[in-house]
Amino acid sequence: MNNTALRAEVQSTNNTHMVFANEQHEKFYFEKLVQARYQDCYHKALIYILGISEDTRNHFSQIYDIKSGYIKTECLHQGWQTSGSVRVVRLAFNLYTDGTPSVDDYKRKDEQIRECGEYSVSDIFCCGYAMYFWQGIKLRYPEYCKKQKSMEEILAEMERKRAENSTDGNEE
């Protein structure tokens, strides 16, 4: 049996493996990405994150206008939202806008502060989607998520350079 949640065979453009929650998530991502105005890191992260949950996949047009590129923050107040789908939407919005856009839906300062707090790492990541949230972050910030060298690789490279330098010019 081939479980796509555990499978990491799909590679992104920067040659990193992508992990999907299931086949529907993977299909959704590639279908919507083709329809997006741009295939940049903002859209990749938004579409990937919104594809994690069946609820957000089913209500995608109520969350995001793919033609105009506008997010629809009012979706956070709709009856279909669950505690998990709200987390998915908030992270997607945050990665797409670099902000907390639904804060502006509130007039009173205390409501704005409460809504801003809903974007905290602990409020978003404390759920079963956390593994997939990391993938979305990697899509949004690929330049910071490149494979890091292990300490052994760094030491071996230093030793190799030291050996090269000691043989350069030592011939008499």
Side-chain angles (χ1 to χ4, degrees):
M1 178 171 243
N2 197 10
N3 183 343
T4 56
L6 301 175
R7 182 176 64 122
E9 296 173 8
V10 177
Q11 293 190 343
S12 66
T13 55
N14 64 354
N15 207 30
T16 59
H17 294 287
M18 291 183 67
V19 178
F20 292 93
N22 52 42
E23 290 178 20
Q24 294 82 11
H25 180 204
E26 184 175 352
K27 182 180 176 191
F28 176 90
Y29 175 75
F30 288 108
E31 284 178 1
K32 294 298 182 189
L33 191 59
V34 169
Q35 298 170 14
R37 296 168 2 123
Y38 306 104
Q39 279 73 45
D40 58 12
C41 62
Y42 300 95
H43 288 83
K44 287 177 181 179
L46 174 85
I47 292 168
Y48 176 88
I49 295 294
L50 291 177
I52 293 169
S53 162
E54 182 179 1
D55 291 321
T56 53
R57 286 193 303 271
N58 290 340
H59 295 93
F60 181 76
S61 64
Q62 294 172 336
I63 302 168
Y64 177 70
D65 184 331
I66 203 157
K67 289 184 181 177
S68 70
Y70 290 115
I71 57 171
K72 302 176 181 181
T73 57
E74 63 274 10
C75 74
L76 290 167
H77 307 287
Q78 294 177 344
W80 58 265
Q81 288 280 14
T82 65
S83 61
S85 66
V86 167
R87 286 178 166 99
V88 168
V89 170
R90 284 194 175 109
L91 180 61
F93 285 175
N94 186 271
L95 292 173
Y96 187 67
T97 67
D98 280 333
T100 56
S102 59
V103 169
D104 295 332
D105 292 348
Y106 299 91
K107 302 295 179 229
R108 293 184 11 213
K109 290 288 182 201
D110 62 322
E111 291 174 329
Q112 290 177 331
I113 291 169
R114 183 194 51 77
E115 180 64 11
C116 191
E118 297 290 333
Y119 284 84
S120 72
V121 172
S122 63
D123 280 324
I124 290 177
F125 272 80
C126 292
C127 72
Y129 295 134
M131 178 174 86
Y132 307 109
F133 288 169
W134 281 116
Q135 179 69 57
I137 291 168
K138 288 178 184 179
L139 288 168
R140 173 60 183 84
Y141 300 102
E143 66 275 19
Y144 301 111
C145 297
K146 294 178 184 165
K147 182 179 182 259
Q148 299 294 315
K149 292 181 182 179
S150 70
M151 185 55 73
E152 292 79 18
E153 291 171 315
I154 292 169
L155 292 172
E157 188 175 320
M158 289 173 60
E159 185 60 35
R160 188 177 65 253
K161 286 181 181 179
R162 194 174 303 123
E164 287 173 4
N165 289 338
S166 68
T167 59
D168 291 347
N170 279 348
E171 296 178 4
E172 295 181 16

